Amino acid sequence: MFRKMFLLLSALFLFASFTGAQTPTPTPATTAATTAKPARFTPTKTQIEEGQKFLKEKKLYTGTADGKYNDDTRAAIRIFQKDNGLDVTGNFNKATVEKMNIALTDKQKGIETPAAPKTVKTTASTTTAKTPASTDGPKRPAPFTANKDQITALQKVLTDGKMFTGEANGERSDALKDSVKKYQEANGLKVTGGINAAVLEKAGIALTDKQKDQVAAQAAYDAAKTPKN
């Protein structure tokens, strides 16, 4: 009797253990994390039309207020955005529409305006690369140019000196260039054939104030280019 009861209890114990082993452990439900994309602001046709009318009033747009984007509309938007410190996109975005005092729809009001990019401030410890100062000296001055009256006066001087047989008309020519070379050679000047300040001054022809400044600038430039011992 005792043996039967022991076997029965053992059987019940084994059955309970087997049943517990078969019961699956509940696993927590996992929900995939999804990041919702921010809503994109899209102007209505009416808003684009009102924006075009606004730009026409500001003399920034001369096209038709038809509620459609075009190159002229985008160009005018860019000017308006730049003048008002807005992000220059060429589109009627939320910030631009609000700046023009154009009413938004209820749906558009819930769309967040993108934050402006942060300006990185430099501190005293920040090393800023500086452009090395130019060591080329003075800027090369503009080339000397004789005016028509000066050329006419020089032609007369060359004619009197039997070096030029053409007309004293203030016009440059190959014949005049050859005559200038003869004049330069005869007067110990650098032979170039060009009507420069040295030629005019040697011929007793006055320089203009602007030409005098050019001569001084050229002298400073040449001095800066000359190697110092």
Side-chain angles (χ1 to χ4, degrees):
M1 183 67 181
F2 178 77
R3 180 179 180 81
K4 290 182 178 179
M5 290 181 64
F6 176 77
L7 292 173
L8 179 62
L9 290 174
S10 297
L12 291 174
F13 177 78
L14 291 173
F15 177 78
S17 299
F18 178 78
T19 303
Q22 294 297 318
T23 303
T25 303
T27 55
T30 57
T31 304
T34 56
T35 304
K37 294 183 179 180
R40 181 179 179 182
F41 182 90
T42 303
T44 64
K45 183 175 181 179
T46 301
Q47 289 170 331
I48 296 176
E49 183 178 344
E50 291 181 8
Q52 290 171 321
K53 291 179 180 177
F54 178 90
L55 294 170
K56 286 173 71 73
E57 293 175 357
K58 296 293 183 181
K59 309 298 183 183
L60 300 176
Y61 176 64
T62 58
T64 304
D66 55 4
K68 298 179 181 179
Y69 275 118
N70 54 56
D71 292 341
D72 291 340
T73 298
R74 293 184 185 279
I77 294 172
R78 291 190 185 96
I79 295 174
F80 176 80
Q81 290 170 330
K82 184 176 180 181
D83 291 343
N84 289 272
L86 302 174
D87 188 19
V88 180
T89 62
N91 297 322
F92 284 113
N93 52 32
K94 185 178 180 182
T96 302
V97 172
E98 288 179 322
K99 192 69 176 179
M100 293 179 175
N101 293 321
I102 298 174
L104 302 178
T105 65
D106 291 338
K107 183 178 180 180
Q108 290 172 336
K109 290 177 182 178
I111 299 176
E112 294 184 3
T113 303
K118 295 182 179 179
T119 302
V120 179
K121 295 183 179 180
T122 57
T123 61
S125 60
T126 302
T127 302
T128 304
K130 295 183 179 180
T131 302
S134 175
T135 58
D136 293 336
K139 182 179 179 181
R140 187 183 187 90
F144 183 92
T145 303
N147 58 43
K148 188 171 184 177
D149 291 338
Q150 290 169 329
I151 295 175
T152 301
L154 179 62
Q155 287 170 324
K156 291 178 180 179
V157 171
L158 295 173
T159 300
D160 293 342
K162 309 298 182 182
M163 296 180 181
F164 181 63
T165 58
E167 183 181 356
N169 55 8
E171 300 294 334
R172 297 175 185 272
S173 65
D174 291 339
L176 176 60
K177 185 174 182 179
D178 291 339
S179 297
V180 172
K181 286 181 178 179
K182 294 178 182 178
Y183 183 81
Q184 290 170 327
E185 185 176 3
N187 289 274
L189 302 175
K190 186 177 181 180
V191 180
T192 62
I195 305 174
N196 51 35
V199 171
L200 295 180
E201 289 178 330
K202 192 66 177 181
I205 301 171
L207 304 182
T208 64
D209 291 338
K210 183 177 180 180
Q211 288 172 336
K212 291 177 182 178
D213 291 339
Q214 283 181 308
V215 172
Q218 185 66 50
Y221 177 80
D222 293 340
K225 287 294 183 180
T226 302
K228 296 181 180 179
N229 296 329

